[in-house]
Amino acid sequence: MQVTIHAAKTNLSKLIDAALSGEEVVIAKGKKPVAKIVPIAQSTFTIGLLKGKVTGKGPDFFEPMESGDLGLWEGVD
């Protein structure tokens, strides 16, 4: 659907609902399209999603590296 700026100001809530339901909403200045109302993708990330499911011990980044690994890291043979 294409609406004028005046109609967009008057019906903004309805236009947002239309965009959320999948309809393409274009705002035009006169007959020239200038903007589009699109929904923002909602994040589905949940903090703590894997809490209690990850087992084992990961690397300890605060422990000193072995000399061979440290040499590789520093570019020394």
Side-chain angles (χ1 to χ4, degrees):
M1 108 174 39
Q2 182 169 308
V3 297
T4 64
I5 293 173
H6 176 73
K9 287 194 270 185
T10 305
N11 299 300
L12 184 58
S13 294
K14 292 177 185 175
L15 296 174
I16 290 172
D17 289 340
L20 288 172
S21 67
E23 190 170 345
E24 182 176 279
V25 179
V26 176
I27 300 173
K29 189 171 188 177
K31 293 186 185 235
K32 181 181 178 185
V34 294
K36 186 186 293 187
I37 299 175
V38 294
I40 295 175
Q42 300 297 312
S43 174
T44 57
F45 179 76
T46 304
I47 294 176
L49 181 67
L50 297 176
K51 186 175 183 178
K53 296 180 182 178
V54 178
T55 59
K57 183 179 178 190
D60 189 348
F61 294 104
F62 297 106
E63 291 296 317
M65 295 176 80
E66 294 179 15
S67 61
D69 292 337
L70 184 58
L72 290 171
W73 180 259
E74 293 178 339
V76 178
D77 290 327

